[in-house]
Amino acid sequence: MKTFLTLFASAALTLSASAHADTPPTSLTEGFDNISSLSGWVINNANGGQSWFQGNDGIFAAQAGADNSYAAANFESGTGAGGAIDNWLITPELTLSGTTRITFYTRTADAGFDDNLGVLFGAGNGTDITGFKTSLLSIDAAGYPGEWTRYTAEFTGTGTGRFAFHYTGNYAASDYIGLDSVSISAVPEPSTWAMLGLGLAGVGFMARRSRRAAAGAGLALAALGMSSGAMAADDKGMVVVRDAETGQLRAPTAAEYKQLAPQTLKSAALQAGNTKESKVVTRANGTRVASVANKVLYSVVTKNADGSLTEACAENEDAALAATKTPRAAQAKERNYEAQ
C-alpha cells in the first residue's frame, strides 16, 4: 500500500475546531490502491463504454506502491470502430481558498496512439460533466509520455469544487493510459509564509537568545585559543525550506542547508574574513592577546577566591592591564617578553 505524508505547519496560529463535520477537506492524496472503494470520487463514461478501471500490471506497473495500484483507461472507453471517447474521473468535493495545486503522474502504454487527457475544474458539488468549464491542463496524443511523468496545474479561487480527469480520443486510434499519485493542496500565500516564518522564529527564540551570550563568549575565547566547553559557538537557529514541487515545508538537505545557513566558524578571525588563524601571545602576567582581522582583542580571566573564573573584555591595553591590576611600569618587561 502506498503511503503519503502530508505536513501541516501551524505557527502562532490556532485552527478552529468548530468547523462543521460536513465541510469538504482542503487537500487530497490518492494512490488508487483499489478503484472500487474510492471514497467521494465519481466515475462517468459519458459514451457508455468501459469506465476507468484498476491498473493492469501486465501492461505496465504503477508509479508507486503495488504494481497494479493506479487508475487506467483504454480504447474500450469508446464503443465501436471510430467511437468517440468521453471518459471522466472526478475527485471528491474540496474546499478552496486562494491558489490550489494539483499534481499527478500519467503515462501511456505506446506512444503514437490517439490518447488524450485533460484536467478541468468545476465549482460547487456538482458532478455533471457540463459543469467542468475551466481547463487547467491538456496532454495530447503527440506529447503523451511513454514513461511515468509528473504534471502540475493550479487553480485560483475560493469556495468548493471538484477536479476532473477527462480521457478522450476514439476507439480505433486510442490505446491505454495510467493515472497515479494524485495530490491536491492549497498553496500558501506570501503573507501566510511570513506568519509561518515568524511563528517558527518564536518557537526557537528563547533557545537562541540563551545561546547567543554563550556563543559570543565562546568566540572571544576561541580567538584566544581557549576552550569554552559548553559555550559552543553554534547559533544555527531553525532552518526550513519550501519544496519547489509540493509547496510544503520540509527540512533542508545538506546541500541546501550549506547554501542557506553559515557553517560554524572555527574562530573569530575566520568569521571576520581572515583566512589565517589568530596568533595568540601569552604575556608574563598571564594575559593572552590575539590579533583578529587587524584588530587586537583583550580578554582577562580572573580566578576568584572560591576557584571560579570570571571573564572580562577590554577594549584597549590600558583597560586590560588595569583589569589584571598590573602596574603600568611593568609594561616594559612585558614588551621585552613579546620581542623574545
Side-chain angles (χ1 to χ4, degrees):
M1 178 175 290
K2 300 175 187 178
T3 301
F4 292 91
L5 175 62
T6 303
L7 172 65
F8 296 92
S10 176
L13 298 173
T14 300
L15 298 178
S16 172
S18 62
H20 297 295
D22 58 353
T23 300
T26 59
S27 63
L28 167 73
T29 57
E30 182 57 61
F32 303 107
D33 292 318
N34 189 342
I35 295 293
S36 63
S37 64
L38 290 176
S39 178
W41 288 74
V42 175
I43 300 176
N44 180 7
N45 189 328
N47 285 344
Q50 170 70 53
S51 296
W52 287 80
F53 55 90
Q54 195 70 47
N56 183 346
D57 57 1
I59 298 177
F60 54 72
Q63 182 269 330
D67 285 350
N68 72 335
S69 60
Y70 64 94
N74 66 8
F75 66 96
E76 292 185 341
S77 297
T79 56
I85 294 174
D86 192 11
N87 203 354
W88 296 76
L89 180 60
I90 303 170
T91 72
E93 183 185 13
L94 297 167
T95 298
L96 287 70
S97 178
T99 301
T100 299
R101 177 178 296 146
I102 176 171
T103 64
F104 61 93
Y105 286 82
T106 188
R107 62 163 292 181
T108 185
D110 294 297
F113 283 87
D114 188 28
D115 292 314
N116 300 269
L117 182 68
V119 180
L120 302 94
F121 174 80
N125 189 33
T127 59
D128 189 324
I129 60 176
T130 61
F132 292 90
K133 300 179 180 179
T134 304
S135 177
L136 305 179
L137 183 151
S138 179
I139 309 171
D140 60 26
Y144 219 106
E147 300 293 338
W148 285 112
T149 303
R150 186 176 187 272
Y151 289 87
T152 300
E154 292 185 349
F155 174 81
T156 300
T158 59
T160 63
R162 294 174 181 260
F163 294 87
F165 296 94
H166 186 204
Y167 177 52
T168 60
N170 69 76
Y171 180 93
S174 297
D175 188 32
Y176 178 99
I177 68 167
L179 175 70
D180 202 359
S181 302
V182 174
S183 177
I184 304 174
S185 61
V187 178
E189 297 294 332
S191 58
T192 303
W193 285 113
M195 287 295 293
L196 178 60
L198 289 173
L200 290 174
V203 172
F205 173 73
M206 294 305 296
R208 290 204 304 274
R209 191 172 75 170
S210 65
R211 290 200 307 268
R212 188 167 290 117
L219 285 172
L221 292 174
L224 296 174
M226 301 171 65
S227 173
S228 60
M231 294 188 292
D234 184 3
D235 190 18
K236 295 178 182 177
M238 300 179 68
V239 179
V240 295
V241 297
R242 174 184 175 182
D243 191 284
E245 293 186 348
T246 66
Q248 302 296 320
L249 286 183
R250 61 172 172 78
T253 64
E256 290 169 336
Y257 182 81
K258 186 176 181 181
Q259 294 178 341
L260 293 173
Q263 296 180 351
T264 302
L265 301 181
K266 293 182 179 180
S267 68
L270 292 178
Q271 187 180 42
N274 190 345
T275 58
K276 296 182 179 180
E277 292 290 343
S278 302
K279 181 180 180 180
V280 179
V281 176
T282 303
R283 293 182 166 181
N285 62 359
T287 61
R288 294 181 178 182
V289 180
S291 177
V292 179
N294 298 322
K295 181 178 180 181
V296 178
L297 302 177
Y298 298 85
S299 180
V300 180
V301 179
T302 304
K303 184 175 182 179
N304 303 313
D306 60 359
S308 62
L309 300 179
T310 301
E311 181 193 12
C313 293
E315 296 182 358
N316 53 58
E317 188 172 2
D318 287 334
L321 290 172
T324 62
K325 299 181 181 180
T326 301
R328 187 68 181 176
Q331 294 180 51
K333 181 178 180 181
E334 292 169 0
R335 291 195 178 98
N336 289 336
Y337 176 82
E338 293 177 27
Q340 294 178 356

